[in-house]
Amino acid sequence: MHLRALGTAILLLGGTSAVHAASYEFLAAPEVDLNRVYRVDKATGEMSACQYGLATDASKDAKASIGTTLCYPPGEGGGPQAQSEYGLVASRHEKEGGVFRVDLRSGSMSICYVLNDAVVCTPPAK
């Protein structure tokens, strides 16, 4: 009897870790000459983005000679939202540098983009 309960607990814990492993969604900006990828926390809606950056002469060393990853933290409107289920959608506009953060439960959307070294988002709207 105790082995069955232990087996059930292990299965439940294993399922929980799988849920936590898939807690982010990533999407490239639709702009064709921009190497930026956005990330959203699927539970909280918190946004961030990263892109490739060339190493400058001042920062060149053995590790930075191949370049660097530039990341932008959440800014105004890009921080955690109400708990829900969030995703990212890109427009088909090839010169658009931002993405849509969508609340899959309520149907509301925000436009998120990098501004002054942070990912900012418009207020959610339907």
Side-chain angles (χ1 to χ4, degrees):
M1 184 70 167
H2 292 290
L3 288 177
R4 182 180 293 168
L6 179 61
T8 302
I10 290 171
L11 285 175
L12 289 174
L13 289 175
T16 302
S17 65
V19 169
H20 291 298
S23 61
Y24 294 100
E25 183 175 324
F26 299 87
L27 182 68
E31 188 172 344
V32 294
D33 62 348
L34 182 62
N35 63 5
R36 183 171 295 148
V37 174
Y38 288 89
R39 178 182 77 182
V40 67
D41 183 306
K42 291 168 43 172
T44 68
E46 183 174 66
M47 294 289 299
S48 63
C50 293
Q51 68 186 49
Y52 172 77
L54 294 173
T56 62
D57 288 339
S59 69
K60 279 193 178 182
D61 61 24
K63 293 180 183 176
S65 64
I66 58 171
T68 185
T69 304
L70 302 171
C71 292
Y72 305 97
E76 184 178 341
Q81 307 295 300
Q83 284 282 2
S84 191
E85 184 179 354
Y86 294 92
L88 297 173
V89 177
S91 71
R92 295 184 62 188
H93 194 286
E94 65 184 25
K95 294 184 180 183
E96 179 61 59
V99 295
F100 291 85
R101 174 181 57 195
V102 296
D103 183 328
L104 299 170
R105 292 183 187 162
S106 73
S108 65
M109 295 185 237
S110 300
I111 310 300
C112 300
Y113 54 95
V114 173
L115 178 67
N116 299 329
D117 296 325
V119 178
V120 298
C121 300
T122 61
K126 288 186 184 183

